[in-house]
Amino acid sequence: MDDLAAPANGPNRRDLLKGAAASFILPFAVSFAPRRAEAAATPVQIGAFIRIDETNTVTLSIGSTEMGQGIMTGLAQLVAEQLQVNWSQMRGEHAIGGSGAGNPYANPLFHAQITGGSTSMMGWYNPMRTAAATVRDMLIQAAAQQTNTTGWKLGTGGTVTNGTTTLTFAAVAATAASVSGLPAPVLATTTKFVGQRMPRLDIPAKVNGSAVFGMDVQVPGMVFASVVHCPTIGGTVGATPAKPSRPGVLGVINLGNAVAVIATNTWTAIKGASDIERNVSWVLPADTSRMDSASLGATAQNLLTSASSGSVYVAEASGTPTLAGAAKTFDQTYKLPFLAHACMEVMNCTASVTADRCEIWAPTQGQEFIIPAAAAACGLSNDKVVLHTTYLGGGFGRKIESDYVLQAVQCSKQLGVPVKLIWSREQDFQNDRFRPSALIRVQAGLDASNNMTALIYRNVSPSIKLQRGPSSVSNPEDTGAVAGAKGLPYSIGARQIEHVALPTDIPLGYWRSVGESYNTFAVESAIDELAKLAVINPLNFRRDRLTDPRAKGVLTAVETLSGWKNLPPTGYQRGVAFLKGFGSYVAMVAEVGKTSTGTIRVSKIYVAVDCGVVVNPDQVEAQMQGGIAHGLAAAMWHQATFVAGVPQVRNFNNYPYLKLQTMPTVLIKLVASTAAPGGVGETAVPVVAPAVANAWAKLTNTRLRSLPFYPGTTMGGL
Amino acid sequence: MPTYTLNVNGVNRTVSVPEASMPLLWVLRDFMGFTGAKYGCGIEVCGACTVIMDNQREHACKVDVSSAVGKKILTVEGLSGDVDGAKAQAAWVTNQVPQCGFCQPGMLTATTAAMKAGHHGSEIAPEIKHICVCGTYPRINKALGGL
């Protein structure tokens, strides 16, 4: 999502409040100004983000999507700090989705309401604190106006006080909502909530079954739909098939590239879609060679060695890197597969389309894109689209797409009733937007003192930017494709970082940690191989070639945490990997041995992270644990393959994940920092594979340069 | 349409469904409004659909509705009223287990069923082979340790 990461020009306070006024009809008109303190009768919205109800509960509406990363809680901590409420008073909810200019819920980093790139805390840290402090000042001013006295300040537990009288927020909220003209607020810098392990606001609902995920939405009068796409990517429906003769089936809808079966319940819809899969007269794409793993592999190999200069994007060049004259030279190639997202919650959406309104309930990371797309599909203006964001059963970048949402919209538009549309797991795997494959050649040189003198780096991988771009060009200048390779903090000498777009029609998407997910494997494996060539401890080799104290700091922290200087347990070895990315620094050590069958066993993973100011240490740790689980499963087993345009992965039985029994022990060190918050959702993922490969090389003297370590259906390891 | 009376979380309810072979999962979700049990894979690999039937854990995506008649069905929505279930839920909160939360109803019902079988603490972990893509396993292990 690097393309979306525009310069950080967050909205100022005035913009935030202007946006609020435009987006909300305040429950109380400006003329409503009670002369005495009294509890508000109904919830009062103050600005875009904060609502106060009669019980003095403070509800935060967030524009970022809560998909497991804990952002709802983290942002609520920022608000609670400015308002000095009790944590039990705080609630969180997803704001109504917005799109385009003036949307107060757009991530201030890129002025779009999307959740991705580990940017939610980065983007909202200052704007949310400012918004909350503004509301605080409005509440204080409201108390002064209501009582016609001065000397009011913030109290505790959701109150304002003048020393003798204390009023609840609820008592002054209605007045506060129309306060204007205040000077810019002074931000509280206390740490009652920020930096603390506050319990997540969403967890109670997630342990009692009441949390509403997309697939749990219930709308009166709704029917159910499931889809079957052409088994070959890019195929279309030749003729609308007859509806399957199964009790409960209501009809079929031709969606162009898929058929939706409408039924009285989800199961009948899924079974009906499966019934007709073979009966649909699919129109197959003429050429599937660009969607075939074997053909793509051969093309990538060609481009690696002999791409024409016009098709090479030189993302970074410094000096004239050459291996000539180097004391030691290095030249290796790394290979990574396409990957599926495999969110636990399959793609689904509920839509209710009428002549003048389109209401959507969706598990989405991409509100910004859904609204105009749905409006266009319905022939309505954007303001007629009402988008509710549900909890997401995993997102990982897949749910930033609009495809599944538009299918529900199309069905409801055609039927005139609300439709809940759910994909089967098989459809979900086969119709993913896949993480691009990558074939990466790394050439480097060391001088007689083992200084790096040159780095020539070429990555051949399909370009997300090219596929989504307005035109087909050979050199899309895809900065996302070189993320994790461009701007490396190591002292390298002369360097040239290149990307060559591998032409493919396989639908591509943003997968947790995007470019870093493949480039970091090549970079951190190669650095380790260079350390071996130099006969230098790989942790020291890295640290000695870094100058940034935060980069050196995480390496030193993981060195201590892992006992790097001590011998590992008998039969085990340790490998290290480092990443500066997503505004953070991470260093990881994997402790690796062998299983009884001689495959990789990862017993422990140590990780040190410097993500700037930590809002909730418990949630940073959760993202480290989760990123490790995600990255390790991908490194061990995951690959999406294609035969003549047909995706081969269909379910979790050939795309396995870690289990309770195979999860390594994870030990985490958060490095204290006063820097601006960085991202943590993706940061741990890219370093897992190289840390494990580096440990395995030390243990066995065998270098693994191809992911996954155990491809195919015979799953080994752990 | 076939009609069945099911006992879910202690309450009998009668539903009519299109086919007798419909799995319990979808009867719970689409006909009775119990959306806590989730659809994840449909092939008994992920465990997200797990419910408890007569104290045994079952994959609701594979149990025909007809074979659930006469059984006491416990879903995540009913765990707070169950002594073991409530303990498991409390451990999940204490250890701040869920991330996205989608797989947790299955984890919690499977844990509760293990407790009902007389298993405790670290005895439970080897029995739970569910998938959590978020990777909450370290916290699940900690939560199980106190049960």
Side-chain angles (χ1 to χ4, degrees), chain A residues 1-127:
Chain A
M1 261 147 301
D2 298 56
D3 294 336
L4 296 162
N9 297 318
N12 58 30
R13 170 179 154 274
R14 188 187 300 164
D15 286 344
L16 286 166
L17 295 173
K18 211 164 55 186
S23 300
F24 284 94
I25 298 165
L26 298 175
F28 291 88
V30 175
S31 60
F32 182 84
R35 305 301 299 174
R36 60 191 169 79
E38 62 183 29
T42 53
V44 180
Q45 186 75 38
I46 308 176
F49 304 104
I50 292 165
R51 187 171 71 241
I52 294 167
D53 75 8
E54 62 275 19
T55 66
N56 221 25
T57 296
V58 177
T59 302
L60 169 66
S61 298
I62 61 168
S64 297
T65 296
E66 176 55 65
M67 49 190 182
Q69 80 281 42
I71 191 62
M72 183 179 279
T73 301
L75 295 180
Q77 288 175 248
L78 303 182
V79 170
E81 194 71 62
Q82 299 304 319
L83 297 181
Q84 291 296 307
V85 293
N86 296 324
W87 189 239
S88 59
Q89 290 173 261
M90 285 300 306
R91 301 283 184 279
E93 65 179 18
H94 287 121
I96 288 286
S99 185
N103 174 14
Y105 306 116
N107 184 322
L109 264 187
F110 30 68
H111 307 294
Q113 194 179 348
I114 61 171
T115 304
S118 300
T119 56
S120 292
M121 190 52 78
M122 268 188 254
W124 284 110
Y125 181 68
N126 281 323

Side-chain angles (χ1 to χ4, degrees), chain A residues 348-378:
Chain A
N348 72 87
C349 177
T350 303
S352 177
V353 180
T354 60
D356 58 0
R357 182 177 156 100
C358 172
E359 191 164 11
I360 297 169
W361 296 261
T364 178
Q365 308 171 239
Q367 293 86 353
E368 187 73 26
F369 308 128
I370 287 177
I371 288 176
C378 296

Side-chain angles (χ1 to χ4, degrees), chain A residues 17-348:
Chain A
L17 295 173
K18 211 164 55 186
S23 300
F24 284 94
I25 298 165
L26 298 175
F28 291 88
V30 175
S31 60
F32 182 84
R35 305 301 299 174
R36 60 191 169 79
E38 62 183 29
T42 53
V44 180
Q45 186 75 38
I46 308 176
F49 304 104
I50 292 165
R51 187 171 71 241
I52 294 167
D53 75 8
E54 62 275 19
T55 66
N56 221 25
T57 296
V58 177
T59 302
L60 169 66
S61 298
I62 61 168
S64 297
T65 296
E66 176 55 65
M67 49 190 182
Q69 80 281 42
I71 191 62
M72 183 179 279
T73 301
L75 295 180
Q77 288 175 248
L78 303 182
V79 170
E81 194 71 62
Q82 299 304 319
L83 297 181
Q84 291 296 307
V85 293
N86 296 324
W87 189 239
S88 59
Q89 290 173 261
M90 285 300 306
R91 301 283 184 279
E93 65 179 18
H94 287 121
I96 288 286
S99 185
N103 174 14
Y105 306 116
N107 184 322
L109 264 187
F110 30 68
H111 307 294
Q113 194 179 348
I114 61 171
T115 304
S118 300
T119 56
S120 292
M121 190 52 78
M122 268 188 254
W124 284 110
Y125 181 68
N126 281 323
M128 186 57 74
R129 294 160 74 218
T130 303
T134 302
V135 169
R136 174 201 67 201
D137 290 356
M138 291 163 83
L139 289 162
I140 293 167
Q141 175 65 21
Q145 284 183 18
Q146 274 185 211
T147 59
N148 217 6
T149 58
T150 56
W152 290 85
K153 61 187 176 65
L154 188 66
T156 57
T159 64
V160 287
T161 181
N162 67 358
T164 52
T165 305
T166 296
L167 297 174
T168 64
F169 287 174
V172 297
T175 304
S178 54
V179 165
S180 63
L182 296 176
V186 176
L187 299 186
T189 55
T190 49
T191 55
K192 185 176 175 189
F193 299 98
V194 174
Q196 305 302 323
R197 295 175 182 269
M198 304 314 296
R200 282 175 63 143
L201 297 176
D202 54 342
I203 278 185
K206 287 177 174 177
V207 302
N208 68 21
S210 66
V212 176
F213 295 86
M215 80 164 56
D216 303 332
V217 168
Q218 301 178 70
V219 177
M222 73 181 181
V223 296
F224 300 79
S226 193
V227 291
V228 56
H229 296 79
C230 180
T232 305
I233 293 169
T236 55
V237 181
T240 307
K243 79 171 190 178
S245 58
R246 178 181 282 274
V249 171
L250 302 173
V252 296
I253 292 177
N254 183 343
L255 295 171
N257 70 336
V259 176
V261 174
I262 314 299
T264 60
N265 65 89
T266 311
W267 181 75
T268 299
I270 289 175
K271 295 294 279 186
S274 173
D275 292 343
I276 62 170
E277 180 165 0
R278 278 173 209 81
N279 303 338
V280 180
S281 56
W282 302 109
V283 179
L284 300 183
D287 180 7
T288 59
S289 63
R290 284 159 46 116
M291 300 185 289
D292 183 274
S293 294
S295 303
L296 285 169
T299 307
Q301 193 62 50
N302 275 339
L303 291 171
L304 194 67
T305 53
S306 49
S308 66
S309 60
S311 62
V312 176
Y313 165 48
V314 180
E316 185 180 17
S318 156
T320 309
T322 173
L323 303 192
K328 295 169 186 164
T329 61
F330 174 78
D331 185 356
Q332 291 293 349
T333 298
Y334 303 86
K335 191 177 164 192
L336 298 97
F338 289 96
L339 292 176
H341 291 83
C343 304
M344 280 299 296
E345 181 194 26
V346 291
M347 299 307 109
N348 72 87

Side-chain angles (χ1 to χ4, degrees), chain A residues 67-68 198-200 202-203 206-209 211 213 215-216 218 224 246-248 264-268 270 342 344-346 392-394 396 420 423-426 618-619 621-623 625-626 629-630 651-653 657-661 663, chain B residues 18-19 21-23 26 29-31 33 35-43 45-46 48 76-77 79 89 92-93 95-105 108 125-135 137-141 144:
Chain A
M67 49 190 182
M198 304 314 296
R200 282 175 63 143
D202 54 342
I203 278 185
K206 287 177 174 177
V207 302
N208 68 21
F213 295 86
M215 80 164 56
D216 303 332
Q218 301 178 70
F224 300 79
R246 178 181 282 274
T264 60
N265 65 89
T266 311
W267 181 75
T268 299
I270 289 175
M344 280 299 296
E345 181 194 26
V346 291
L392 271 61
F396 312 121
K420 175 153 77 174
W423 290 11
S424 67
R425 174 57 64 189
E426 289 77 11
D618 198 46
Q619 291 313 309
E621 290 171 5
Q623 288 308 299
Q625 293 166 338
H630 211 182
N651 210 316
F652 285 119
N653 56 343
Y657 278 83
L658 299 188
K659 303 269 174 85
L660 265 180
Q661 299 79 20
M663 180 76 196
Chain B
E19 293 183 73
S21 58
M22 178 175 289
W26 300 108
R29 290 183 56 82
D30 291 352
F31 291 85
T35 55
K38 305 299 189 217
Y39 166 68
C41 69
I43 59 167
V45 170
C46 78
V76 68
E77 289 94 340
L79 292 186
Q89 286 177 317
W92 253 240
V93 173
N95 291 284
Q96 293 286 291
V97 171
Q99 289 186 29
C100 90
F102 191 84
C103 73
Q104 303 300 344
L108 283 158
E127 300 175 37
I128 299 179
K129 299 185 173 174
H130 298 199
I131 294 173
C132 171
V133 173
C134 293
Y137 302 121
R139 290 165 188 237
I140 292 175
N141 268 322
L144 294 179

Side-chain angles (χ1 to χ4, degrees), chain A residues 528-545:
Chain A
D528 226 69
E529 297 204 63
L530 285 161
K532 187 180 179 191
L533 205 57
V535 199
I536 295 175
N537 170 334
L539 195 149
N540 291 343
F541 185 87
R542 287 173 171 81
R543 189 168 46 198
D544 292 347
R545 283 153 189 77

